[in-house]
Amino acid sequence: MRLSRYFLPVLKENPAEAQIVSHRYMLRAGMIKQQAAGIYSWLPLGYRVLKRIEEIVHQEQIRAGHIPLLMPTLQPADLWRESGRYDDYGQEMLRIKDRQDRDMLYGPTNEEMITDIFRSHVNSYKDLPLTLYHIQWKFRDEMRPRFGVMRGREFLMKDGYNFDVDRDAALHAYNRHMVSYLRTYERMGLTAIPMRAASGPIGGDNTHEFLVLANTGESEVFYDDRVTGLKLGQREIDYDDRDQVAKVCEEFTTLYARTDETHDEAVFAGVPEAHRKVGRGIEVGQIFYFGTKYSEAMGAEVVTKDGTKVPVEMGSHGIGVSRLLGAIIEASHDDKGIIWPEGVTPFPVGIVNLKQGDGAADAACAGLEKALLARGLEPLYDDRDERAGAKFATMDLIGLPWRITVGPRGLEKGVVELTSRRTGASEEMSPEAAVDRIAQIYAAHR
């Protein structure tokens, strides 16, 4: 992609309405535009990151054995009346009527609809276990939408739902989701800590939130700081192995980590003082086990091996896909702009031509662009007729992890400059070596 042909409406000044870093940088980097309070258009750069995050979520859900589908944004109110939540949910639910005067709503979540789909097609234990999920836009009419995509009214969310014949199988589904989420966040360059939480309007008594530590987080958190060093890394996980999955969950949930809603000061006092930490966190996902709360209310039953009918055991599991962009920026930035982790960056590398119009520099940049594309890596080539400082400032603001700088002086020596956005370290090398280095870096993120 050539920057002269791209739509990237960057801003030089900080927008007055932006109160936190992620909102400020997303507006300045031309990633989003507010259309109404808490409702945003996703401009090309922001949309690229959104799709990268969505792709990682899909990959890890499918790896865990979960099956994608797509449910509509609008739902009939009758389903929510069956579960008893239509009147209980509160003013966050956007209630509307269609032209036939039927009560509808813009879905804030999908427990009722997925239960209706299940009961329409599944009636035997032989079809279990089953986990279905989708990534779809949701709407919750927040009283005070703020902080950009972190607290918007319309948001993109992955929500998944497991159906199991008994409690043990449902708890394995819960554990399976926890492990798949841990891997998902690690691939995005995040340390997301599973913390014991409250269930809220979803229901159930077993739930964990995944929180990214940040000063701008909406939740106060209490934790043993040793939990921040836990990583899945490259270990192989057999998601059908209940013992293995349970042991991973135990590893990540034994150390104290709770939100203010479930904090227990007496238990927290047992954490060694040197490791006892209080901070703030951004919620980026939550998993719930709620048993038969919805299946009993809505008649979602299966026939067991002995011929009896039982309501299925269920859970729901969400990831805030659009919210993750804000969380990543809050966790990874400096005073110049965003620093994208390689796993979610909109472009893997930027090419900066220091002397646009110079035959040798233009040819070298075009050669780099072609070589990277041949490796399956699409660079963002700044081919504008701008001064070098402005080009560097744009690259720093939009936060691509790597930059290749091409200029006449370096080309006289047969070299270009490869720079890390995160460390600022630069190294001169041949164009071919720069392409090889970038390809090696991103091989680990595919």
Side-chain angles (χ1 to χ4, degrees):
M1 179 60 67
R2 303 219 172 177
L3 196 48
S4 62
R5 304 173 190 169
Y6 198 51
F7 182 62
L8 187 67
V10 298
L11 305 175
K12 292 183 179 179
E13 303 298 327
N14 289 326
E17 72 270 26
Q19 301 174 27
I20 62 172
V21 168
S22 58
H23 192 196
R24 183 164 68 245
Y25 280 153
M26 289 184 77
L27 289 171
R28 284 195 57 205
M31 298 179 69
I32 55 173
K33 182 186 184 303
Q34 181 171 306
Q35 303 299 157
I39 301 174
Y40 293 88
S41 286
W42 290 81
L43 305 184
L45 193 76
Y47 185 61
R48 285 181 74 99
V49 182
L50 190 69
K51 297 304 288 184
R52 299 274 189 225
I53 290 173
E54 186 177 347
E55 182 181 7
I56 291 172
V57 173
H58 272 303
Q59 288 172 353
E60 293 304 326
Q61 286 300 294
I62 291 168
R63 184 191 294 201
H66 308 157
I67 303 169
L69 47 65
L70 185 63
M71 291 175 277
T73 55
L74 296 182
Q75 302 182 30
D78 286 347
L79 287 177
W80 286 66
R81 290 191 174 106
E82 277 192 68
S83 70
R85 286 206 299 173
Y86 185 70
D87 295 320
D88 294 344
Y89 203 88
Q91 292 184 323
E92 286 187 352
M93 180 187 288
L94 181 62
R95 295 167 171 85
I96 51 183
K97 288 182 180 288
D98 66 13
R99 65 193 301 166
Q100 305 298 332
D101 205 38
R102 289 174 294 222
D103 290 325
M104 307 287 288
L105 59 101
Y106 194 127
T109 183
N110 281 74
E111 282 79 10
E112 284 80 3
M113 185 166 283
I114 198 70
T115 304
D116 179 57
I117 290 170
F118 177 89
R119 71 183 178 183
S120 299
H121 300 286
V122 180
N123 54 32
S124 171
Y125 77 96
K126 294 179 181 179
D127 295 319
L128 303 181
L130 179 66
T131 295
L132 303 170
Y133 79 93
H134 73 159
I135 297 176
Q136 179 61 290
W137 292 96
K138 304 285 192 294
F139 191 92
R140 294 176 188 167
D141 202 2
E142 295 276 356
M143 181 178 292
R144 292 180 58 231
R146 60 193 187 278
F147 304 153
V149 300
M150 298 281 287
R151 193 69 180 267
R153 292 192 294 165
E154 184 184 54
F155 54 95
L156 189 62
M157 177 177 163
K158 172 262 160 181
D159 44 322
Y161 305 90
N162 66 282
F163 301 89
D164 291 278
V165 72
D166 57 38
R167 176 183 169 85
D168 287 346
L171 290 176
H172 172 58
Y174 184 93
N175 292 343
R176 192 173 65 239
H177 279 85
M178 180 177 290
V179 175
S180 69
Y181 279 23
L182 290 169
R183 192 184 293 281
T184 297
Y185 297 128
E186 282 188 22
R187 286 187 59 188
M188 296 177 189
L190 288 172
T191 298
I193 305 169
M195 296 192 179
R196 179 68 65 179
S199 60
I202 301 294
D205 55 7
N206 198 16
T207 179
H208 282 83
E209 287 180 356
F210 293 80
L211 289 105
V212 175
L213 298 176
N215 292 333
T216 50
E218 71 270 54
S219 301
E220 187 175 25
V221 295
F222 304 81
Y223 63 99
D224 183 326
D225 68 356
R226 289 171 292 186
V227 75
T228 62
L230 299 175
K231 302 291 181 188
L232 271 179
Q234 298 301 312
R235 70 179 94 173
E236 290 294 326
I237 304 293
D238 179 356
Y239 284 102
D240 291 326
D241 186 331
R242 293 191 182 188
D243 289 339
Q244 183 191 21
V245 172
K247 285 178 181 176
V248 173
C249 292
E250 183 180 4
E251 175 187 346
F252 279 82
T253 58
T254 296
L255 292 171
Y256 192 94
R258 297 193 184 188
T259 63
D260 50 0
E261 295 174 305
T262 58
H263 176 56
D264 187 322
E265 192 61 45
V267 178
F268 190 51
V271 176
E273 187 174 357
H275 296 289
R276 211 180 301 155
K277 295 291 187 288
V278 180
R280 302 202 71 81
I282 300 167
E283 182 198 341
V284 291
Q286 189 163 4
I287 57 176
F288 303 85
Y289 161 69
F290 45 66
T292 59
K293 172 181 169 68
Y294 296 93
S295 56
E296 283 188 346
M298 299 182 68
E301 300 176 324
V302 293
V303 177
T304 64
K305 189 181 295 187
D306 62 10
T308 60
K309 273 191 174 183
V310 297
V312 289
E313 297 275 340
M314 293 176 58
S316 69
H317 317 276
I319 287 181
V321 176
S322 54
R323 167 178 271 239
L324 272 165
L325 275 84
I328 292 168
I329 294 170
E330 292 293 331
S332 186
H333 68 272
D334 60 17
D335 58 1
K336 296 178 181 179
I338 302 163
I339 305 174
W340 291 116
E342 280 85 354
V344 298
T345 181
F347 297 93
V349 60
I351 301 172
V352 171
N353 189 338
L354 293 181
K355 194 171 183 182
Q356 195 68 38
D358 178 85
D362 291 354
C365 289
L368 284 165
E369 182 182 38
K370 183 177 180 181
L372 287 162
L373 286 169
R375 300 287 191 98
L377 299 165
E378 183 183 7
L380 180 63
Y381 172 19
D382 191 344
D383 62 335
R384 299 172 300 163
D385 187 17
E386 283 275 3
R387 58 186 177 82
K391 292 187 174 188
F392 291 147
T394 297
M395 285 294 174
D396 285 342
L397 174 62
I398 66 176
L400 307 186
W402 298 93
R403 185 184 77 227
I404 301 174
T405 305
V406 181
R409 290 184 182 178
L411 291 176
E412 287 178 2
K413 299 185 292 183
V415 299
V416 296
E417 186 178 70
L418 181 64
T419 303
S420 165
R421 174 69 180 89
R422 186 168 299 279
T423 67
S426 296
E427 185 179 351
E428 290 187 338
M429 61 186 69
S430 70
E432 295 78 13
V435 171
D436 286 342
R437 179 76 63 82
I438 294 296
Q440 290 169 6
I441 289 168
Y442 282 96
H445 295 278
R446 294 187 171 182

